[in-house]
Amino acid sequence: MTTIAMGEMEQLRKEADNLKDQITAARKAMQDTTLQEAAASINVVGRVQLKTRKTLRGHLAKIYAMHWSTDSKLCVSASQDGKLIVWDSITTNKVNAIPLKSSWVMTCAYAPSGNLVACGGLDNMCSIYNLKGKDGNVKVMRELAAHTGYLSCCRFLSDSEIITSSGDCTCVLWDIETGTQKTIFAGHQGDCMSLAVSPDFKFFISGACDFTAKLWDIREGTCRQTFGGHESDINAIGFFPNGNAVITGSDDASCKLYDLRADQELITYQDSSIMCGVTSLAPSLSGRLLLAGYDDFNVNIWDTLKAERVGVLAGHDNRVSCIGVSSDGMACCTGSWDSFLKIWN
Amino acid sequence: MPVINVDDLTDKDKALMEVTQLKREVQLQRWMTSKCCEEIKDYIQAGVDEDTLVKGISEDKNPFKEKGGCVIC
């Protein structure tokens, strides 16, 4: 780099640091209480003891992802055995077993309509499958290819739009019909690992290996807010059920809740006895509980207001890679590297 | 929507993008944390009684209840 170019970079870096300091000060000025202080008069929720009600057996290798259908009955899982399986969680029947072109799958998603599922991974693509094809066969409907890195997560907005996050540090909004990129969301300085769509479908959040979470305006195509504080990669992210807060899970062994309107962290869920990374998370229906999967094969259940652990789901023989609470809040599903999915309530 | 090819961005482009983004974020209107905490508390209190994972569910109302043993008549 030339001396002039170095000078410009130095100037930009100084400007960025200055702006970051301003943001830190602005946030501090609005911090008149913590969530723990505000919830001091509320009792810790009673011990939560969930039981495994169903075990979904059928995958032959590590499960990397699962997603509930909006009907709270069906769910889809993706495994490195090269299959997407759609399960009836109540009967434990396999509704569809879809063979994949690439077995290196890292994510899967169920469309809100129940008509489509999607998956992707080290093939850098997001493949869309139509479950309701005329002849009853499940076929690839579209292959969305443009990312230059692995597909870490995908979530449908509708049958015609899907958002993906990638190891290439970007997220993309796709038009499924034409198979083209509508919007590229760039800004993260590390692999994007996870994304979640707001309950009103206007925003989405992404967690990345730059230790930050970003809130994006889907239609404007812009990043509205950036949340820091984690000391390592953010692997999991979700919206608090009211859509006004975000929960992140990180390799730094903690989960954090950030409020969108205060633009800052309100509480951290961590314990000195937990030293392994968070792989997945899901809030319960009311938001009172946070279920988080960790590298040590367990799921810890946190009281979100008190930041106390109120339960553990122990039942898998390997890392819990994915977790989801059904839309009606009746059950939680965990997926593991032990090749099983379990339904708990 | 302009299509950005992230691989084509130089370090200076990225630094400029970061500064532009920070200038946007610094303008944000922020709420007091006390107001946000109240909203979160209220939301939870309003829904917690219907939250199966918190309150539990009786066997007969549980769609996921474990099947009973087989009876051969």
Side-chain angles (χ1 to χ4, degrees):
Chain A
M1 224 192 258
T2 64
T3 314
I4 297 170
M6 289 242 305
E8 284 179 329
M9 280 299 287
E10 199 40 51
Q11 223 179 337
L12 286 170
R13 219 164 285 150
K14 276 201 177 136
E15 211 181 341
D17 286 343
N18 188 305
L19 287 162
K20 284 179 189 172
D21 287 343
Q22 284 180 52
I23 292 170
T24 302
R27 284 170 169 162
K28 209 165 158 83
M30 304 308 277
Q31 191 185 54
D32 58 342
T33 189
T34 62
L35 185 53
Q36 264 166 309
E37 284 163 4
S41 60
I42 297 176
N43 289 328
V44 179
V45 87
R47 185 118 201 106
V48 175
Q49 285 172 312
L50 304 183
K51 290 193 200 156
T52 300
R53 303 295 178 182
K54 309 282 176 184
T55 298
L56 306 180
R57 296 166 217 274
H59 278 301
L60 304 171
K62 294 175 175 174
I63 291 171
Y64 273 79
M66 69 77 48
H67 195 212
W68 282 98
S69 169
T70 48
D71 71 0
S72 298
K73 197 171 71 121
L74 301 180
C75 64
V76 64
S77 60
S79 162
Q80 292 208 339
D81 63 3
K83 294 242 165 42
L84 270 193
I85 298 181
V86 176
W87 309 84
D88 178 322
S89 63
I90 295 181
T91 62
T92 73
N93 288 341
K94 297 174 197 39
V95 177
N96 302 104
I98 307 163
L100 306 174
K101 270 195 205 173
S102 162
S103 63
W104 304 112
V105 68
M106 294 173 68
T107 182
C108 62
Y110 221 124
S113 64
N115 295 330
L116 310 174
V117 288
C119 68
L122 295 183
D123 59 355
N124 298 0
M125 289 194 318
C126 182
S127 301
I128 314 284
Y129 295 83
N130 185 356
L131 297 177
K132 309 284 170 80
K134 284 195 187 105
D135 56 2
N137 278 332
V138 176
K139 287 198 296 264
V140 179
M141 203 181 98
R142 275 305 164 268
E143 282 174 344
L144 308 174
H147 276 300
T148 53
Y150 59 86
L151 204 85
S152 53
C153 194
C154 56
R155 285 293 178 259
F156 285 92
L157 294 182
S158 65
D159 281 2
S160 53
E161 288 179 316
I162 191 167
I163 299 184
T164 56
S165 62
S166 169
D168 68 12
C169 309
T170 70
C171 295
V172 172
L173 169 68
W174 302 83
D175 178 327
I176 295 174
E177 199 58 33
T178 59
T180 56
Q181 300 166 282
K182 269 183 157 170
T183 313
I184 299 178
F185 301 89
H188 272 300
Q189 291 165 7
D191 298 14
C192 294
M193 297 302 290
S194 187
L195 78 99
V197 179
S198 66
D200 64 7
F201 293 93
K202 291 185 181 164
F203 302 97
F204 77 92
I205 43 177
S206 57
C209 293
D210 61 6
F211 312 173
T212 72
K214 282 179 176 287
L215 175 76
W216 307 88
D217 184 318
I218 296 175
R219 299 305 154 195
E220 298 283 309
T222 53
C223 170
R224 269 217 179 173
Q225 292 167 258
T226 304
F227 302 96
H230 275 298
E231 294 167 352
S232 189
D233 301 352
I234 293 176
N235 299 317
I237 200 163
F239 271 94
F240 183 79
N242 71 356
N244 292 326
V246 163
I247 308 176
T248 52
S250 165
D251 270 347
D252 70 8
S254 77
C255 293
K256 287 176 184 291
L257 183 136
Y258 299 92
D259 190 287
L260 299 181
R261 275 89 65 89
D263 184 46
Q264 58 189 282
E265 175 191 324
L266 292 186
I267 199 166
T268 297
Y269 306 101
Q270 70 188 356
D271 188 301
S272 53
S273 65
I274 303 172
M275 289 177 289
C276 57
V278 178
T279 59
S280 48
L281 62 85
S284 69
L285 185 69
S286 66
R288 186 62 198 266
L289 301 177
L290 170 64
L291 295 96
Y294 293 74
D295 278 343
D296 67 357
F297 311 173
N298 286 329
V299 171
N300 287 313
I301 305 177
W302 297 88
D303 178 329
T304 54
L305 294 178
K306 312 295 283 183
E308 283 187 39
R309 254 195 305 177
V310 293
V312 166
L313 298 183
H316 283 292
D317 293 328
N318 206 323
R319 178 189 287 193
V320 173
S321 56
C322 49
I323 192 165
V325 170
S326 55
S327 321
D328 63 7
M330 298 274 262
C332 155
C333 176
T334 52
S336 167
W337 281 10
D338 69 8
S339 82
F340 302 119
L341 294 138
K342 286 179 184 286
I343 310 286
W344 312 73
N345 69 11
Chain B
M1 201 90 239
V3 172
I4 315 160
N5 192 343
V6 178
D7 296 329
D8 290 341
L9 297 175
T10 62
D11 283 342
K12 184 170 162 217
D13 289 332
K14 290 184 191 173
L16 205 55
M17 263 177 72
E18 202 195 345
V19 167
T20 310
Q21 177 58 31
L22 287 167
K23 282 183 177 164
R24 210 179 278 144
E25 289 178 13
V26 86
Q27 312 267 14
L28 207 66
Q29 298 287 0
R30 296 173 178 85
W31 289 20
M32 299 299 288
T33 55
S34 53
K35 186 169 182 205
C36 302
C37 291
E38 280 312 298
E39 272 208 18
I40 287 178
K41 269 172 34 186
D42 290 345
Y43 184 86
I44 288 175
Q45 309 285 57
V48 76
D49 288 340
E50 308 298 313
D51 192 338
T52 305
L53 299 180
V54 176
K55 297 291 172 178
I57 189 166
S58 57
E59 281 290 298
D60 52 308
K61 292 211 180 85
N62 190 355
F64 297 98
K65 69 170 187 280
E66 291 142 282
K67 278 185 268 190
C70 295
V71 177
I72 301 170
C73 301

